[in-house]
Amino acid sequence: MGKPRLILTRRLPQLVEAELRLAFTLLDNPEDQVLDSAEIIARARAHRADALLVTLTDRLDARTIDALPASVRIICTYSVGTNHLDLAAARQRGIALAYAPQAVTEATADTAMLLLLAACRRAHEFQAQLRQGRWGAWNAWENLGWDPGGQILGLVGMGRIGRAVAHRAKAFGMKIHYFQRNRLEAGLEDGATYHSSLHSLFTTSRFVSLHTPTTPETKGFIDAQTLSWLEDGAIFINTARGDQVDDDALIAALRSGKLAAAGLDVFNNEPAFDHRYLDLPNAYLLPHIGTSTEQTRIRMGRDCIDNLCAFFAEKPIPWPI
Ligand code: DGY
């Protein structure tokens, strides 16, 4: 039997692609253009693909998954997020699913801290002043941000990334509180305070950071009501997914000062995000670079390779969805 035929929808780091070629007949996308559903289906059919290795730019909705050829037995995503995949539709067809949750943890947590520090020290505003030649004499009363130390950081979701953020934030003197459906055991909780409701977490926290997957419950849950639970001058961080946020509500809260600042790495409709954010001096914005380090992108690739190789060797997939 030949090597399994793998459709790779986007370019990956060279090393990862080289390692993929050793194990698979790789049907790649050297131009790296984002493929639409029709193109993914056409490629899978034309090459009688055994597997798809996709990224968050590939929208595999139920119609796309239903139209894949019967040869496709596994879909692996080069991400921890799975909101671009209709998991139920894949399961219905008996297609195995895998992802790369472990590899992204540290880089994403670093990015959350980058956003948190940049937001509370108003880095974007002051960098703009400097770049525009508006650097006046030092003074004691302008350009003031806020200390993270001593403040409560409310983490929504305390999985791998939430816990990695907690670890970092504690080193900055922050007090860690969290909400998720189930309380963690003490070892994993590591001194953090559990809240059994979002309302309780939000009415307690000065900083809030999202570390939740997008599900029907979390889609758009950052809205006018949940934001109103925060104290005036709170700081909001999002490295999870933009579709958990109602942009109108978040922008209104940043305009009114209800939120002092936000640090955002993810947006609704990336990359065609809501450009009203660009006019907000108190929003520190990054273009979804949470996992963008050389080391992380290679680790993500290797975890995907391990998933795919295990599947075709009929062994347990290390990171099944
Ligand atoms: C993920 O893994 O889901 C990140 O958002 C992108 O790498």
Side-chain angles (χ1 to χ4, degrees), residues 297-318:
R297 290 288 165 85
I298 289 172
R299 273 199 299 273
M300 290 165 73
R302 292 208 164 125
D303 281 357
C304 291
I305 294 172
D306 288 348
N307 283 331
L308 292 163
C309 287
F311 177 80
F312 287 106
E314 295 180 3
K315 293 188 179 148
I317 297 173

Side-chain angles (χ1 to χ4, degrees), residues 3-7 24-27 46-52 312:
K3 295 179 191 173
R5 302 170 72 78
L6 175 69
I7 303 276
F24 301 94
T25 300
L26 195 62
L27 307 147
H47 299 289
R48 295 186 320 285
D50 299 300
L52 305 185
F312 287 106

